[in-house]
Amino acid sequence: MKRARNIIHSALVISLLSACNYQTETKNTIEEKEPTSIIFMIGDGMGVPQVSTAYYFGQQEPNFSQFKQIGFHQTSDKTHRITDSAAGATAFAIGEKTYKRAIGVNADTLAKESILKRLQKKGYSTGLVSLTSITHATPAAFYAHVPDRDLHEDIALQLMDADIDFLAGGGKKFFNKRTDNKDLFKELQNKGYHLDTTNLSVSQQNQKIAFILAEEGLPSKIEGRKDYLSEATTKAITHLGSTNKPFFLMVEGSYIDWGGHAKNDEMVITEVQDFDKTLGVVMQYVKENPNTLLVVTADHETGGVSIGKFYETDTATGEKKEVPTKAKVYFNTDQHSGELIPVFAMGQGAEHFQGIYQNNAIFHKMLKVANLDKQ
């Protein structure tokens, strides 16, 4: 009996020691886990039909096919059932729905801390890439706080204190042709930025970077834009990834939206293809750096787009005949629509983005993956 009690006692001691070791190892694993970098890609105006153009009009399998974690978000803002880019991006940036045209402020016009600023406080490097002016609604929502999206000069002025490590976009005239005669380019250089207003040039590794390359927005693909979006994104990832710190990078494919407003099917198709190409660059980084979260979505859909049958008309008889091997992009409007918007996620914490939820939930989901949702 005594021998049995000793055996039981020894087993209990071993079990307790194992449990303690497990808890210690688990704690150490948590403590040693590196913070998650976040790459947030926004295809402005990109709903399901726009994504679908990559499948109907592309020459190869789209990079979108690599996603396994997919959800949808609802876009309405506080004042309008059909939102705009300002309120949409602000919901992503501050985690609250606000009024149409608002930038970085809540429904009471109070400035709210953005995810970019919150991550900066936790040691993250940050970057913004856009095809439009860097003061335009989508990028501005991540660093500025103004009551209306058209206050570009005020937004550019706030960028001076945003301390962002990598900037790429347009908007030169809001920096050096201002009504207050301030030269914000000189101020950026005084702050130590490598500034280039003509090219995506080589810079020093330890410098902040600002590529402001057009008076307003860069050209669209149909106007001759080359591989700026994928090249600027590659430079951003390379630069931010070399700092030995986690980073937050927002990349905007701006002109999918503009194609919808113009009811220009070629513009929509080519801009989605360019966005998908850039997506491939980012996906490769995520695969090589698994402690990275990639989230891809849009602020809203533009154009009420659908993909349907392609018809040819007989010039002699006027008769319409379907061409079974072709498809056509149709537009229901030249404005934004209220469609649910897809959310694609890959990498660390991607499972949090499944389901259907409000657009401002994306802010909270990203912070959750970064373990900052309760701070």
Side-chain angles (χ1 to χ4, degrees):
M1 180 65 72
K2 184 176 180 180
R3 184 170 179 271
R5 283 199 301 269
N6 289 338
I7 292 173
I8 293 170
H9 180 265
S10 298
L12 286 170
V13 171
I14 292 169
S15 178
L16 287 169
L17 288 171
S18 298
C20 290
N21 288 337
Y22 173 79
Q23 289 173 358
T24 301
E25 289 172 6
T26 303
K27 183 179 179 182
N28 289 340
T29 300
I30 292 170
E31 289 175 348
E32 292 170 5
K33 181 181 176 182
E34 295 180 4
T36 301
S37 291
I38 300 172
I39 303 174
F40 187 30
M41 296 183 67
I42 301 174
D44 199 314
M46 184 183 72
V48 171
Q50 285 82 355
V51 173
S52 299
T53 65
Y55 291 83
Y56 282 90
F57 302 99
Q59 301 301 311
Q60 57 191 21
E61 186 71 12
N63 287 305
F64 281 105
S65 295
Q66 298 183 50
F67 285 109
K68 306 301 179 188
Q69 312 288 350
I70 303 171
F72 289 89
H73 74 77
Q74 298 173 269
T75 63
S76 295
D77 59 53
K78 280 284 190 179
T79 59
H80 291 71
R81 296 288 280 171
I82 309 303
T83 196
D84 75 330
S85 293
T90 295
F92 298 148
I94 70 171
E96 293 184 33
K97 286 181 179 285
T98 188
Y99 61 92
K100 194 172 182 178
R101 302 189 65 83
I103 295 291
V105 298
N106 67 9
D108 297 319
T109 70
L110 297 175
K112 302 291 288 188
E113 187 174 61
S114 72
I115 187 171
L116 183 147
K117 179 57 66 176
R118 187 175 297 199
L119 292 174
Q120 280 181 336
K121 289 180 176 179
K122 294 298 179 180
Y124 277 62
S125 299
T126 54
L128 299 172
V129 174
S130 180
L131 295 172
T132 56
S133 169
I134 203 67
T135 63
H136 211 264
T138 301
F142 289 87
Y143 66 86
H145 310 280
V146 295
D148 188 274
R149 60 185 290 173
D150 282 347
L151 297 172
H152 288 278
E153 290 193 0
D154 292 344
I155 292 168
L157 194 59
Q158 290 185 30
L159 183 59
M160 296 303 100
D161 296 319
D163 200 29
I164 298 170
D165 299 278
F166 185 98
L167 298 164
K172 285 195 279 189
K173 70 178 189 178
F174 304 119
F175 291 82
N176 66 350
K177 297 177 182 177
R178 298 169 54 85
T179 56
D180 61 10
N181 295 319
K182 289 183 178 180
D183 185 350
L184 299 189
F185 282 156
K186 185 176 181 180
E187 188 167 335
L188 281 173
Q189 290 175 314
N190 289 340
K191 289 178 178 291
Y193 275 84
H194 167 83
L195 172 67
D196 198 320
T197 60
T198 57
N199 296 293
L200 296 170
S201 56
V202 177
S203 60
Q204 298 295 320
Q205 183 175 324
N206 59 350
Q207 280 187 295
K208 288 181 170 61
I209 295 173
F211 296 121
I212 313 296
L213 304 181
E215 285 299 307
E216 291 191 54
L218 282 88
S220 67
K221 289 297 286 185
I222 61 175
E223 292 172 326
R225 189 181 77 245
K226 302 301 182 184
D227 291 328
Y228 162 84
L229 190 61
S230 58
E231 290 176 358
T233 301
T234 299
K235 278 187 171 290
I237 291 173
T238 301
H239 181 73
L240 297 174
S242 69
T243 62
N244 295 318
K245 298 194 296 184
F247 65 84
F248 174 85
L249 171 65
M250 191 286 295
V251 178
E252 182 194 20
S254 318
Y255 294 146
I256 301 169
D257 171 68
W258 291 34
H261 284 302
K263 291 188 173 182
N264 187 319
D265 57 346
E266 183 185 2
M267 190 174 187
V268 170
I269 290 166
T270 54
E271 293 296 336
V272 171
Q273 288 175 341
D274 190 50
F275 188 82
D276 185 71
K277 179 177 181 178
T278 305
L279 182 55
V281 169
V282 176
M283 284 179 158
Q284 186 59 42
Y285 179 85
V286 174
K287 290 172 184 175
E288 294 171 358
N289 299 269
N291 195 39
T292 306
L293 168 65
L294 167 63
V295 179
V296 180
T297 192
D299 42 8
H300 52 73
E301 191 274 344
T302 306
V305 170
S306 64
I307 299 175
K309 296 178 181 179
F310 184 95
Y311 292 95
E312 287 182 345
T313 303
D314 189 301
T315 55
T317 65
E319 181 182 355
K320 288 173 61 178
K321 183 178 181 181
E322 181 185 354
V323 180
T325 58
K326 291 185 177 181
K328 182 175 174 60
V329 174
Y330 292 89
F331 296 91
N332 182 56
T333 179
D334 63 356
Q335 296 299 310
H336 300 169
S337 78
E339 289 190 13
L340 293 180
I341 298 299
V343 184
F344 305 90
M346 173 183 282
Q348 184 70 35
E351 66 277 4
H352 294 292
F353 294 84
Q354 297 179 88
I356 300 175
Y357 39 83
Q358 297 295 329
N359 55 0
N360 59 303
I362 291 175
F363 167 95
H364 300 285
K365 291 174 182 291
M366 289 192 290
L367 285 183
K368 183 178 181 65
V369 174
N371 292 318
L372 297 175
D373 55 320
K374 295 180 176 63
Q375 298 183 28

